[in-house]
Amino acid sequence: MKIDIWSDFVCPFCYIGKRHLETAMAGRTDVEVVFHSFELDPNAAHHHDEDIHQLIATKYGISYEQSKANNENIRQTAAAAGLAYDFDAMQNTNSFTIHRLAQYAKEVGKGNEFVEAGMHAYFTDGAFLNDEETLVKIARSVGLDEARTREIIQTDAYLASVRVDETKAMELGIQGVPFFLINDQYAVSGAQPVEVFQNVLSQIDDQTKPETAATNVCQDDSCSI
């Protein structure tokens, strides 16, 4: 079984959905998981003076307090999945460079490990994903070559690979992430509960086509439960 996943490093539901799927797959050795690049906001700035609560409040015309409340709901959802989100420490930024590094990691067989390390760095550690030393540290943690990592950061290497993933997403009609495509036939959209993933995998094992589900998904840099 092969599962292709489109996700963004700054998408909170992508990390949650990833963990839910991994829980559902526990004990299985017959599943190949491949991550693909998807930028929720390709035009996102590299640096922001405001914290993430204010950025969201401004973007969607809600109060700072409502933004914090929404993020707290997501934090609790993440905690239930065993993830520790620290919204107060998160440094929103453009994710294009780390997507290019993810393509390199995938090429050398470290793609899944790099995605995990990058998401953990952003959501839990408050890492700034456009700082060269931070990206090098993430890369080193999964065994990537430091010199090659720096070269990729400082050039436009793997730009084409990112665009291939994003073009495929457009062809598939993917409008929000996480998006899971199983065996090139069956789709699951959003950070579905573990039970939903378990049922989908079981149905596929039985060669029964599952229904496409779509909740807990990020679209155009927005997320809702």
Side-chain angles (χ1 to χ4, degrees), residues 88-223:
D88 292 334
M90 287 180 199
Q91 302 183 66
N92 187 261
T93 187
N94 189 292
S95 60
F96 183 61
T97 297
I98 194 168
H99 275 300
R100 291 192 297 108
L101 287 175
Q103 295 290 337
Y104 160 53
K106 181 165 57 175
E107 183 177 82
V108 297
K110 296 287 186 177
N112 295 359
E113 293 91 336
F114 184 81
V115 169
E116 173 67 28
M119 288 183 170
H120 183 275
Y122 179 77
F123 289 108
T124 300
D125 298 336
F128 181 53
L129 299 186
N130 262 305
D131 173 72
E132 181 170 331
E133 297 308 318
T134 297
L135 291 172
V136 168
K137 180 180 178 181
I138 294 170
R140 278 202 311 254
S141 75
V142 300
L144 297 182
D145 179 74
E146 179 175 336
R148 180 58 175 147
T149 297
R150 291 187 186 277
E151 179 183 0
I152 293 167
I153 294 170
Q154 296 167 9
T155 66
D156 63 355
Y158 292 93
L159 180 154
S161 298
V162 173
R163 298 301 182 228
V164 166
D165 279 355
E166 293 176 336
T167 298
K168 181 63 175 180
M170 292 177 61
E171 292 172 352
L172 290 170
I174 298 173
Q175 297 181 340
V177 288
F179 186 89
F180 307 83
L181 181 64
I182 308 172
N183 287 347
D184 292 320
Q185 296 180 6
Y186 312 118
V188 177
S189 179
Q192 297 298 323
V194 174
E195 295 77 13
V196 170
F197 283 111
Q198 289 174 330
N199 289 338
V200 169
L201 296 177
S202 178
Q203 288 175 13
I204 293 173
D205 285 337
D206 296 335
Q207 298 299 306
T208 301
K209 185 175 181 179
E211 296 181 358
T212 298
T215 58
N216 285 359
V217 60
C218 293
Q219 294 181 321
D220 298 328
D221 202 27
S222 64
C223 301

Side-chain angles (χ1 to χ4, degrees), residues 68-79:
K68 288 196 71 171
N70 291 346
N71 288 334
E72 173 60 18
N73 288 338
I74 296 174
R75 188 198 67 77
Q76 292 179 14
T77 301

